[in-house]
Amino acid sequence: MEAPSTQTAAAELSAAAAPTATTAAAQPAAAAQNATATAAQTAAARTAAAVTITIRPLLEADLAEADRIMRLAFGTFLKLPDPMTFMGDANYVHTRWRADPSAAFAAEREGQLVGSVFATCWGSVGFFGPLTVHPDLWDKGVASLLLAPVMECFDRWKIRHAGLVTFAESSKHMGLYRKFGFWPRFLTGLMGKEVGPAEDAAGGGTGTRGGMVVAGPSAATGAEDGTRGEAAGRSMAGGGTGARGEGLGRSGVRGGGNGVRGGWTRFSDVPAGEREAMLSLCSGLTDSIYEGLDLEREIRAVADQRLGDTVLLWDGDTLAGLAVCHCGAGSEAGSGTCYIKAGGVRPGANAGADFRLLLGAVEELAVQEGLTKVLGGANTGRKEAYEAMVECGYRTNLHMIIMEKPNEAGYNNPGVYFIDDWR
């Protein structure tokens, strides 16, 4: 990274720069785009008071303050009565730093942390966020400075497609990211569904329908003892069990399909000696969705940090789908919630049906974990996936807009059954 830089610029992401996912292709034109961004910053500097900012790696000792600034920034931007209540007991800062400390950056002024940003690599796809700056330094060019090392990460990783998600109503946010080559395209809906125990409890109004867990007015919490992964497997439409898999899958990996379509297992149940092979199967599946797309980082982060689990959906002994899920407090989900960070199914004639089975498997996981809500992102560019979630009972809580670099759809195309939101 270059030596600490000093700059002043008026156009800057309000401390709550909505988590940004980057799907930009690293290309020779990057130099020209960087030159454009630099020129814009220089012009802004003529009208703004000078602010000396140092950009450096974010350290573990910074995390508590970075988390505080992130909540203060978003909460202030959203005009919450108490800004510090933003996100409750969910956690983005610590989880993303631990996933890859080398891709986390800090903005410092006179020895004090004033902002941070996190870059993420999903193989050929990259994104960043949350990018946050202390409200006292909004409109001073700090966000532009934080984006510089992010762009360097994308170049180093040879990202093919980059993107971010931000507030659709904020021209300030979109103006900032456009200077770095990102273009607004599709809306992404953050969609949620209340879930309850899969078994039909008397008077509870709950049960399963088409493999989906359907919550009634008095949905209970699921696993009785509150422990993760100890609830007995519950039946799903299509023959899935959710129980510990014993079927030997391809490449010598223990799958769990047992010759049945729609069965699912947990990544946490894969024996240690077989996990690398399983990760290879997962990478092959996501590569079939979009060339080079790879969720290994997310699967490892959830497993290593014990943030939740990854659902593995099987068609016999063939991996048909996966969903990386954060579960409960301390993860990116928060109390009572199962958050699908990313997931999808293999393209083909069965993709629509498999996608619905995958949603049902996630809902089963949520029930087993004692959670009452499933949350996931549906991009409107992926029309069929969006409609499937609506049909399965998911309702939109918030619409955001994604910005992409280059100005191409990436994997946000009709017929692609994938869940993410780039927050």
Side-chain angles (χ1 to χ4, degrees):
M1 178 157 42
E2 296 180 359
S5 51
T6 300
Q7 240 181 46
T8 314
E12 186 261 339
L13 169 63
S14 36
T20 354
T22 313
T23 345
Q27 50 186 326
Q33 292 169 340
N34 289 341
T36 300
T38 301
Q41 293 168 0
T42 302
R46 299 191 185 104
T47 59
V51 175
T52 301
I53 299 295
T54 298
I55 303 299
R56 60 168 175 79
L58 187 71
L59 306 178
E60 187 170 14
D62 298 320
L63 297 183
E65 180 64 4
D67 182 78
R68 186 189 75 83
I69 292 172
M70 184 274 294
R71 296 174 190 274
L72 175 64
F74 275 103
T76 299
F77 180 81
L78 296 171
K79 296 181 172 57
L80 299 183
D82 179 0
M84 296 306 296
T85 62
F86 177 74
M87 282 182 57
D89 58 12
N91 194 325
Y92 276 23
V93 169
H94 293 76
T95 58
R96 297 196 181 184
W97 185 87
R98 289 172 183 143
D100 186 357
S102 71
F105 304 97
E108 183 179 275
R109 181 189 186 193
E110 298 177 352
Q112 297 295 315
L113 188 74
V114 296
S116 64
V117 66
F118 303 84
T120 296
C121 178
W122 286 356
S124 62
V125 173
F127 68 90
F128 62 90
L131 189 166
T132 52
V133 176
H134 194 288
D136 290 348
L137 288 175
W138 288 359
D139 301 327
K140 296 294 188 293
V142 180
S144 293
L145 296 178
L146 279 168
L147 281 171
V150 170
M151 298 300 108
E152 292 173 4
C153 281
F154 293 155
D155 289 342
R156 185 172 69 253
W157 295 335
K158 294 179 169 49
I159 293 300
R160 174 184 173 188
H161 196 72
L164 62 96
V165 65
T166 190
F167 300 109
E169 70 276 17
S170 176
S171 59
K172 175 189 283 189
H173 289 75
M174 285 191 278
L176 168 69
Y177 299 129
R178 278 171 49 208
K179 291 190 301 182
F180 286 84
F182 297 95
W183 191 255
R185 292 184 61 92
F186 304 105
L187 291 176
T188 286
L190 188 60
M191 306 180 78
K193 177 180 177 180
E194 301 296 324
V195 296
E199 53 272 352
D200 250 328
T206 63
T208 59
R209 182 183 306 153
M212 304 297 109
V213 180
V214 182
S218 57
T221 57
E224 293 181 359
D225 62 1
T227 59
R228 297 192 173 191
E230 295 303 321
R234 299 173 173 88
S235 64
M236 290 173 52
T241 65
R244 308 307 190 220
E246 295 300 329
L248 190 63
R250 294 182 179 178
S251 305
V253 177
R254 264 179 211 288
N258 294 320
V260 178
R261 180 166 174 268
W264 67 275
T265 57
R266 297 170 178 242
F267 182 81
S268 61
D269 288 334
V270 177
E274 299 177 7
R275 288 197 172 187
E276 292 302 318
M278 184 64 73
L279 286 168
S280 180
L281 287 182
C282 292
S283 297
L285 186 147
T286 51
D287 182 75
S288 73
I289 296 172
Y290 181 77
E291 185 178 1
L293 176 63
D294 192 345
L295 299 180
E296 178 177 338
R297 164 195 156 124
E298 300 301 335
I299 298 171
R300 288 188 184 277
V302 165
D304 294 345
Q305 299 180 47
R306 299 186 178 182
L307 300 172
D309 217 328
T310 296
V311 168
L312 305 170
L313 181 73
W314 299 92
D315 181 357
D317 288 333
T318 299
L319 185 65
L322 64 88
V324 183
C325 300
H326 286 234
C327 298
S331 73
E332 295 180 17
S335 289
T337 301
C338 174
Y339 167 50
I340 307 172
K341 177 104 182 243
V345 300
R346 192 179 301 278
N350 294 326
D354 286 343
F355 186 71
R356 288 165 173 80
L357 288 171
L358 182 65
L359 291 175
V362 170
E363 292 164 16
E364 291 272 348
L365 172 71
V367 169
Q368 292 180 11
E369 293 295 317
L371 307 172
T372 58
K373 184 176 184 178
V374 175
L375 200 64
N379 186 274
T380 53
R382 305 189 288 262
K383 179 178 181 291
E384 293 85 356
Y386 189 102
E387 291 178 338
M389 292 186 72
V390 172
E391 291 168 5
C392 290
Y394 288 80
R395 296 297 176 261
T396 302
N397 301 322
L398 172 69
H399 268 126
M400 301 169 289
I401 192 166
I402 65 167
M403 299 181 70
E404 298 179 270
K405 174 182 176 180
N407 183 17
E408 298 172 357
Y411 54 81
N412 297 309
N413 286 306
V416 174
Y417 287 89
F418 196 77
I419 299 173
D420 67 357
D421 60 58
W422 290 354
R423 287 184 303 147

